[in-house]
Amino acid sequence: MTDMAPVLSYFVDWTPIERAFAAGLVSWSGSALGASVVFFTARVYQRFLDVVLGFAGGVMLAASFWSLLHPAIELSTDYGSWRWFPASAGILIGTLFLHIVDEVLPRLQLPAPGKEALGPPSHLRRTTLLILAITIHNIPEGLALGIVFGAGGNDHSPVSLAAAIGLMGGIAFHNLPEGMAVALPLRREGWSSLRSFVFGQLSAAVEPVAAVIGAAAALTTRAVLPYAMGFAASAMLYVVVREVIPETQASGHPVAATMGIMLGFLLMMALSVSLE
């Protein structure tokens, strides 16, 4: 085993469902850690938020390939020269699903809660829409996490436990600015620090449940696994392209945000390759 042996040893004897649930709790803790900033301040510099969110976006981009798409293609050798098809079909289905969700439900793009809601008209408050938006996008992230850990429980799966843990860390890190993006506006509106923290971290409470559902689905049959992994990858790609990159580039610090994206991508790539 690699240098990750002390970490991996805690997970080796667990079932895929147990690993997925634990991973969902870890990713949830990222939102809790981000939301805890309200105990120290009501504001965070936008440049810092852009860099952190960009870094998280880069991590998710790399994880979508090395933890999801590449293993999905390796699982599709029976398709011959069409082995790209299951992952591609999963991406298209996932993208269509997320697009429909965005069109049906009002939302706020992250991490700028002061903007007007997008999608259909709504009488909900902006903070309510922000919580709703992040909660909805945490569901496919939790599913992606569960699918990766569930895939590792299949016989002859190319998904390593180290890659799954890498994805878990990437999503947890991505949840840091999300927790801030919910808790800080609530604190500025006059909510108490404790109440702002509770609602800030609550948006990621769906991830452990979604992770268990994703793991259970991945364990059902090997034939659908590449499609499920493509679907999970679409969640990562969609959030980064639709939300993370536009917001980090529009807040006045495009160079710093871009450097964050590149550093996050390089770090996740290095970890994914070195821990195989």
Side-chain angles (χ1 to χ4, degrees):
M1 300 180 72
T2 68
D3 292 337
M4 284 284 287
V7 177
L8 298 181
S9 62
Y10 290 105
F11 295 90
V12 167
D13 297 327
W14 294 10
T15 68
I17 297 294
E18 291 172 336
R19 294 174 185 171
F21 182 71
L25 292 177
V26 171
S27 64
W28 182 7
S29 70
S31 286
L33 184 60
S36 68
V37 74
V38 295
F39 292 113
F40 309 100
T41 181
R43 295 186 180 276
V44 172
Y45 288 113
Q46 186 62 46
R47 182 189 295 272
F48 172 77
L49 195 59
D50 286 346
V51 172
V52 171
L53 191 62
F55 184 90
V59 168
M60 293 173 69
L61 281 176
S64 66
F65 176 76
W66 274 281
S67 297
L68 289 164
L69 294 179
H70 185 260
I73 293 171
E74 290 189 2
L75 281 170
S76 305
T77 53
D78 292 343
Y79 286 78
S81 61
W82 284 74
R83 59 185 177 275
W84 52 268
F85 178 78
S88 300
I91 290 175
L92 291 175
I93 294 170
T95 301
L96 179 62
F97 170 77
L98 291 169
H99 173 69
I100 291 173
V101 169
D102 272 352
E103 291 299 315
V104 171
L105 297 175
R107 69 190 188 281
L108 285 175
Q109 288 187 283
L110 305 176
K115 293 188 175 181
E116 294 299 322
L118 303 175
S122 173
H123 298 294
L124 296 175
R125 297 176 62 185
R126 283 197 295 265
T127 50
T128 302
L129 289 172
L130 182 64
I131 295 172
L132 179 63
I134 295 179
T135 301
I136 290 171
H137 282 154
N138 277 335
I139 294 175
E141 290 177 14
L143 288 172
L145 200 56
I147 287 171
V148 170
F149 276 90
N154 277 267
D155 294 334
H156 310 297
S157 172
V159 182
S160 68
L161 184 55
I165 291 175
L167 180 63
M168 174 188 72
I171 293 178
F173 196 88
H174 170 258
N175 286 345
L176 279 169
E178 286 191 350
M180 295 180 193
V182 174
L184 289 172
L186 297 178
R187 185 71 183 95
R188 290 197 294 268
E189 287 191 6
W191 291 34
S192 68
S193 297
L194 179 59
R195 192 181 180 199
S196 299
F197 167 77
V198 169
F199 277 85
Q201 57 82 36
L202 199 59
S203 62
V206 296
E207 290 202 3
V209 177
V212 169
I213 295 172
L219 288 168
T220 54
T221 173
R222 186 180 183 277
V224 301
L225 188 54
Y227 296 90
M229 295 177 76
F231 182 93
S234 74
M236 305 290 99
L237 296 171
Y238 191 92
V239 168
V240 173
V241 176
R242 186 82 166 93
E243 307 287 350
V244 174
I245 293 177
E247 290 301 329
T248 57
Q249 296 297 305
S251 300
H253 310 101
V255 175
T258 300
M259 292 301 104
I261 292 173
M262 301 305 291
L263 287 174
F265 186 93
L266 291 174
L267 176 62
M268 189 63 194
M269 178 182 68
L271 289 175
S272 298
V273 174
S274 62
L275 296 178
E276 288 182 347

